């Protein structure tokens, strides 16, 4: 027993935070890998004119993630965060390999890959829900902002990793290139599994199961002060008690009562706008976008995803620097305005100058990605984590996550269909209009959460509910 205790004691807080957030690498890798794999897959399976199948193959992961996140949240309350992260890593490994060995059976191959990627999406959605939950329960309160930034950095680093792997494999025979790109996703999943084997369970889950001694031991790994440990244990117990009472008093209809409606609409709306603004159309399809703009083969344009990935990583680091220096609303509105103009201006320029350099659109897409990377990408989840009162937090956060995944899935599905039927400048202009609508939404419907306690934010919702109740015509 003493040997085991000593072995556990060697777990450093840096190790816990690194592998606690490493699931973001999986999430990011699978968002990005299809970007490079798709041109080779299209050529190998002759899908160049099958826009709907291409959309389904690309978006199948996001469709599975809609259900994976909700399922993982419920199961983690029963079995623990750590066990569910381990299970997600196993599922990710299995279905990554099955994606890479897809049989060549004509059109049936596409349907096989769609189903396998949907099942893979269960693990992606689970990782996206479990990693922030685990990190928030392990991190000290003063470090939660920075560690939420670490999770975002891990996600975009996973995307960059997938873009680099795609680029390194691009000179292989086409039928091998895309299979290795998809199959190699099993490697970071294996690293995650081996790392999480040494991680402790969340102290909050341990307390919920009545194991206070083990919860205290886990906190001793990541807190320096015994008094701090005692204070945090007492705080966790009180919060758990309040959550149990809240869950007994609320239902889905509570979310849309006068008291909470304002905050629920704000949080869910921001989560939905983040995806419907079209960011994933760039992340999934940038080689095909460049191909359509320039006429160069998509498989020869795999340097562009790396450029996007580098911008995303730099942007995540910029966010960690400015996160607490500017209001949330200010960053969202400035970011959304620039993103919208980056999508709309190429269509305007092309209309005024039909001989516009085709790479102009790619330059504007880089500007879009730069502003997205330090505004809407990280801030959506910071705001969702802050805006919902305790009584509705579980249900409202799940609803926001579901709308976000639905938006991600729909953008991945319909973008190739839209670009097959209209100029891509027009498609991006539509997304640009949605960006501007998002700015208007933030201006009129979203409260400022920076520097406010959860109680103050809830009071804003309560006051807005009273105003609406007294002025129903508004």
């Amino acid at each position: 027993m003493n040997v085991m205790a000593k072995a556990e004691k060697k777990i450093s807080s840096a190790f816990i935070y690194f592998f606690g957030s490493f699931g973001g690498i999986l999430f990011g890798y699978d968002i990005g890998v299809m970007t490079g794999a798709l041109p080779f897959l299209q050529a190998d399976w002759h899908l160049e004119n099958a826009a709907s199948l291409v959309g389904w193959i690309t978006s199948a992961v996001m469709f599975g993630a809609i259900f994976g996140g909700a399922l993982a949240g419920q199961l983690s309350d029963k079995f623990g965060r750590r066990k569910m992260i381990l299970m997600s890593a196993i599922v990710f490994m299995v279905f990554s390999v099955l994606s890479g060995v897809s049989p060549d059976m004509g059109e049936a191959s596409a349907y096989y890959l769609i189903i396998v990627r949907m099942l893979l999406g269960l693990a992606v959605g689970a990782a996206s829900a479990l990693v922030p939950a685990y990190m928030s329960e392990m991190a000290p309160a003063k470090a939660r902002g920075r560690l939420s930034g670490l999770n975002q950095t891990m996600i975009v680093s996973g995307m960059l990793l997938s873009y680099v792997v795609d680029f390194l494999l691009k000179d292989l025979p086409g039928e091998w290139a895309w299979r290795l790109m998809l199959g190699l996703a099993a490697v970071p999943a294996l690293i995650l599994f081996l790392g999480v084997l040494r991680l402790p369970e969340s102290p909050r889950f341990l307390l919920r199961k009545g194991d206070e001694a083990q919860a205290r031991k886990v906190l001793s790994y990541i807190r320096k002060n015994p008094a701090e440990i005692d204070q945090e244990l007492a705080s966790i117990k009180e919060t758990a008690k309040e959550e149990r009472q809240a869950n007994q008093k609320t239902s889905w209809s509570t979310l849309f009562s006068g008291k909470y409606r304002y905050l629920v609409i704000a949080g869910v709306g921001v989560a939905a706008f983040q995806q419907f603004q079209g960011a994933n159309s760039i992340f999934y399809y940038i080689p095909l976008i460049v191909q359509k703009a320039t006429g160069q083969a998509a498989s020869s344009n795999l340097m562009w995803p790396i450029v996007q990935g580098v911008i995303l990583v730099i942007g995540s680091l910029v966010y960690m620097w400015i996160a607490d220096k500017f209001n949330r609303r200010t960053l969202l509105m400035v970011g959304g305005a620039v993103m919208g103009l980056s999508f709309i201006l190429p269509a305007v320029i092309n209309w005024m100058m039909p001989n516009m350099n085709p790479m102009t659109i790619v330059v504007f897409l880089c500007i879009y990605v730069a502003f997205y990377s330090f505004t809407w990408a990280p801030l959506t989840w910071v705001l969702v984590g802050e805006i919902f009162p305790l009584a509705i937090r579980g249900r409202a956060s799940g609803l926001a996550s579901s709308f976000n995944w639905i938006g991600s899935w729909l953008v991945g599905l319909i973008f190739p269909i839209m670009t097959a039927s209209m100029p891509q400048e027009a498609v991006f202009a539509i997304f640009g209009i949605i960006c501007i609508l998002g700015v208007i939404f933030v201006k009129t419907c979203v409260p400022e959460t920076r520097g406010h306690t959860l109680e103050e934010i809830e009071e804003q919702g309560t006051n807005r509910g009273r105003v609406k109740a007294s002025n129903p015509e508004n």
Side-chain angles (χ1 to χ4, degrees):
M1 187 68 177
N2 289 337
V3 174
M4 286 183 63
K6 286 182 180 179
E8 287 186 350
K9 191 63 180 175
K10 290 180 181 177
I11 304 174
S12 69
S13 59
F15 183 93
I16 290 172
Y17 296 144
F18 178 80
F19 279 103
S21 62
F22 195 83
I25 294 281
L26 271 67
F27 181 21
Y29 187 97
D30 215 82
I31 288 176
V33 69
M34 189 55 77
T35 303
L38 195 57
F40 298 99
L41 175 62
Q42 281 184 297
D44 190 25
W45 285 358
H46 309 292
L47 299 176
E48 290 87 349
N49 298 313
S52 59
L53 275 180
V54 168
W56 268 106
I57 290 171
T58 304
S59 65
V61 165
M62 284 70 75
F63 185 79
I66 296 170
F67 307 98
L71 188 62
Q74 295 180 19
L75 292 177
S76 69
D77 286 340
K78 184 175 182 180
F79 298 109
R81 310 324 185 209
R82 176 181 172 275
K83 287 181 180 177
M84 290 308 301
I85 293 174
L86 286 170
M87 183 59 65
S88 298
I90 293 172
V91 172
F92 201 99
M93 278 188 281
V94 170
F95 288 104
S96 293
V97 172
L98 290 177
S99 297
V101 298
S102 299
D104 195 345
M105 305 178 296
E107 190 171 304
S109 301
Y111 295 110
Y112 165 90
L113 188 55
I114 289 169
I115 293 170
V116 167
R117 283 178 56 76
M118 282 182 184
L119 295 171
L120 176 61
L122 294 175
V124 172
S128 73
L130 292 169
V131 168
Y134 182 84
M135 291 293 286
S136 67
E137 293 177 7
M138 297 297 285
K142 61 185 179 183
R144 279 180 190 145
R146 291 195 306 276
L147 288 171
S148 69
L150 175 61
N151 182 49
Q152 176 66 18
T153 300
M154 283 288 194
I155 292 171
V156 295
S157 296
M159 294 173 68
L160 178 58
L161 174 64
S162 71
Y163 298 149
V164 171
V165 168
D166 290 349
F167 183 80
L168 293 175
L169 297 177
K170 68 182 177 64
D171 293 326
L172 290 175
E175 67 273 17
W176 283 102
W178 70 266
R179 292 180 184 278
L180 275 174
M181 291 171 185
L182 298 184
L184 284 174
V187 175
L190 176 61
I191 295 171
L192 175 67
F193 180 84
L194 296 175
V196 174
L197 280 176
R198 290 198 61 212
L199 291 188
E201 183 51 85
S202 152
R204 185 169 185 170
F205 175 79
L206 292 169
L207 269 181
R208 183 179 293 174
K209 294 301 181 183
D211 193 348
E212 184 171 342
Q214 186 64 25
R216 182 180 294 275
K217 180 185 288 187
V218 171
L219 284 173
S220 73
Y221 303 154
I222 50 181
R223 306 289 187 269
K224 299 176 182 178
N225 192 316
E228 184 183 1
I229 293 173
D230 291 336
Q231 183 180 357
E232 186 157 351
L233 285 171
S235 176
I236 293 172
K237 288 179 183 177
E238 181 61 27
T239 301
K241 179 181 176 182
E242 291 175 1
E243 285 183 345
R244 283 195 298 271
Q245 293 173 345
N247 289 335
Q248 290 170 0
K249 296 177 182 178
T250 60
S251 63
W252 283 105
S253 62
T254 309
L255 270 62
F256 302 100
S257 67
K259 181 178 180 180
Y260 299 120
R261 187 187 305 123
Y262 167 57
L263 297 176
V264 171
I265 290 173
V268 174
V270 167
F273 267 111
Q274 187 206 42
Q275 291 300 330
F276 283 108
Q277 288 168 335
N280 282 346
S281 65
I282 304 172
F283 303 146
Y284 302 147
Y285 298 112
I286 185 64
L288 300 180
I289 291 168
V290 177
Q291 174 182 322
K292 192 158 187 177
T294 66
Q296 300 172 356
S299 57
S300 67
N301 290 315
L302 296 189
M303 182 57 74
W304 281 105
I306 295 178
V307 173
Q308 308 289 347
V310 170
I311 293 172
L312 285 169
V313 172
I314 294 172
S316 74
L317 299 176
V318 169
Y319 165 73
M320 292 175 71
W321 177 52
I322 68 171
D324 296 318
K325 293 182 170 69
F326 298 94
N327 285 344
R328 317 288 194 229
R329 279 162 41 94
T330 301
L331 288 173
L332 288 173
M333 287 190 289
V334 170
V338 176
M339 288 154 54
L341 290 174
S342 298
F343 274 162
I344 293 170
L345 285 176
V348 174
I349 294 171
N350 188 57
W351 174 65
M352 297 176 65
M353 302 169 55
N355 295 323
M356 174 186 80
N357 187 320
M359 289 304 291
T360 301
I361 190 171
V362 180
V363 173
F364 277 104
L365 294 186
C366 290
I367 296 171
Y368 174 100
V369 171
F371 277 80
Y372 175 80
S373 67
F374 66 86
T375 58
W376 280 82
L379 274 171
T380 294
W381 300 112
V382 172
L383 192 140
V384 165
E386 294 172 335
I387 201 169
F388 297 130
L390 179 64
I392 61 167
R393 188 172 301 153
R395 285 186 172 90
S397 297
L399 187 65
S401 179
S402 294
F403 269 84
N404 187 265
W405 279 116
I406 289 169
S408 179
W409 165 60
L410 285 174
V411 168
L413 176 64
I414 68 174
F415 182 77
I417 298 172
M418 292 172 71
T419 55
S421 58
M422 66 177 79
Q424 63 181 7
E425 290 88 354
V427 175
F428 285 123
I430 292 171
F431 286 133
I433 293 169
I434 295 174
C435 290
I436 301 302
L437 292 175
V439 172
I440 296 170
F441 178 82
V442 171
K443 175 70 174 175
T444 58
C445 299
V446 178
E448 181 55 57
T449 60
R450 172 177 169 259
H452 293 283
T453 66
L454 297 180
E455 291 72 24
E456 289 170 342
I457 296 167
E458 181 172 353
E459 183 64 21
Q460 290 186 62
T462 302
N463 291 339
R464 180 66 68 96
R466 289 180 186 140
V467 171
K468 291 289 185 183
S470 61
N471 298 283
E473 69 276 7
N474 294 333

